[in-house]
Amino acid sequence: MPVYADEPARLGQSAMPDGRLLGWAEWGPPDGAPVLLCPGAATSRWLGFGAGVVDALGVRLVSVDRPGLGASTPAPGRTFSGFAGDIRRLCALRGLGRPAVVGNSQGAPFAIACAEEGVASALSVVSGADEVAAPEFASALAEDLRGLVERTAVDPAGAEGFFAGFTADAMWDMVMAGSPECDLAVYQDPGFAALYRRSLDEGFAQGAAGYARDTVLAMGRWPFALADVAVPVDIWYGEQDTGHSPDNGALLAARMPGARRRVVPGIGGALLWTHAEPILTLLLKKAHGPTWT
């Protein structure tokens, strides 16, 4: 039976200049090639990916709790640029240099912000939340999502208050109800489900304000220029993924020079866990050159 994720090898917190703490988890060898994960909606540092793969490839995988989630101190009103600044400081403190970065689901725009600000050496967007507020998507969104996008644009504070009503159980139920069978085979695997539920519980341990801030940022217009992303980019979507992007990343890839889009058959939003090896292998070749092994 496949093992999709395992418990972190190392856990810790690092202090920012203003006294806030960022929680992080690591897998793989401490001296491995650094890969930083910006995890999905409301999930904490506890949920990594590539069980067994990170050790085999010599990857030091680092997952970071965004402010207000998990073990990271809240930062009300935070921005994408502020998050990229936090990651720059964390990289200096933890000796990560300019890591390759993976953005999964709602973590995608935060990962893109790191790439746009020069924190990342290469970027993989995997099942990424797309910029659904882009005008090109106005007619492509389901009615309920379009309503949330419009509400976020008109009344971001009110939208943030609405999202602050979510819970770990509500997130779990939403993912289970909206996933195809190929994804449920991953999510409901007993070992994975235990880590996923723990990650959600920790993500909401300080309440839902961190998730709410993430969601308003991700669901609004993104303030960074995608055309200015100067690092190598791969954009991965599962063919059966109907929840993260109206066009499985086609417009997103077209807006970033040199981005390569890959659509994988037979899987949906669980792609990060079913295809960890090719995602990491390609990312590290982009970060370190084609001769990387």
Side-chain angles (χ1 to χ4, degrees):
M1 177 181 291
V3 178
Y4 300 107
D6 53 7
E7 292 193 2
R10 297 170 294 279
L11 291 167
Q13 293 171 291
S14 295
M16 298 291 101
D18 60 2
R20 288 181 299 112
L21 298 176
L22 284 189
W24 48 264
E26 292 190 359
W27 295 257
D31 60 350
V35 174
L36 188 137
L37 171 64
C38 294
T43 55
S44 75
R45 59 186 177 166
W46 266 90
L47 186 60
F49 71 102
V53 174
V54 292
D55 287 295
L57 292 179
V59 168
R60 178 187 177 188
L61 178 66
V62 184
S63 181
V64 181
D65 288 337
R66 291 185 287 278
L69 282 79
S72 290
T73 307
R78 59 186 167 87
T79 64
F80 285 117
S81 182
F83 175 76
D86 283 349
I87 295 302
R88 189 187 304 276
R89 287 183 283 271
L90 180 70
C91 289
L93 290 168
R94 299 290 301 156
L96 303 178
R98 288 181 67 219
V101 174
V102 175
N104 176 239
S105 187
Q106 197 173 79
F110 295 92
I112 296 170
C114 289
E116 195 267 342
E117 296 208 10
V119 179
S121 59
L123 172 65
S124 283
V125 172
V126 184
S127 307
D130 209 334
E131 189 182 11
V132 289
E136 293 89 344
F137 288 146
S139 63
L141 303 180
E143 184 177 353
D144 55 348
L145 177 56
R146 185 168 63 250
L148 288 173
V149 170
E150 292 171 352
R151 179 175 183 175
T152 299
V154 172
D155 181 18
E160 196 163 336
F162 169 75
F163 293 123
F166 276 62
T167 65
D169 287 341
M171 288 297 299
W172 171 265
D173 292 343
M174 184 171 67
V175 172
M176 295 306 109
S179 298
E181 288 297 323
C182 55
D183 288 347
L184 292 177
V186 176
Y187 300 152
Q188 295 177 350
D189 171 82
F192 184 88
L195 286 169
Y196 193 3
R197 289 305 304 254
R198 178 165 186 169
S199 176
L200 286 171
D201 288 342
E202 189 172 274
F204 282 99
Q206 302 182 72
Y211 161 71
R213 185 61 183 167
D214 277 358
T215 304
V216 166
L217 288 172
M219 199 166 281
R221 291 307 309 266
W222 296 350
F224 37 79
L226 292 174
D228 291 342
V229 174
V231 301
V233 180
D234 283 291
I235 297 176
W236 298 77
Y237 283 92
E239 190 175 44
Q240 296 188 42
D241 185 351
T242 60
H244 288 109
S245 170
D247 62 0
N248 271 4
L251 178 62
L252 185 61
R255 296 167 67 192
M256 286 193 277
R260 174 78 182 272
R261 174 174 169 257
R262 302 166 190 277
V263 179
V264 180
I267 194 63
L271 178 67
L272 181 68
W273 296 282
T274 60
H275 288 69
E277 185 171 6
I279 289 168
L280 284 170
T281 299
L282 185 60
L283 176 64
L284 289 166
K285 286 183 177 179
K286 294 291 180 71
H288 301 285
T291 60
W292 181 87
T293 56

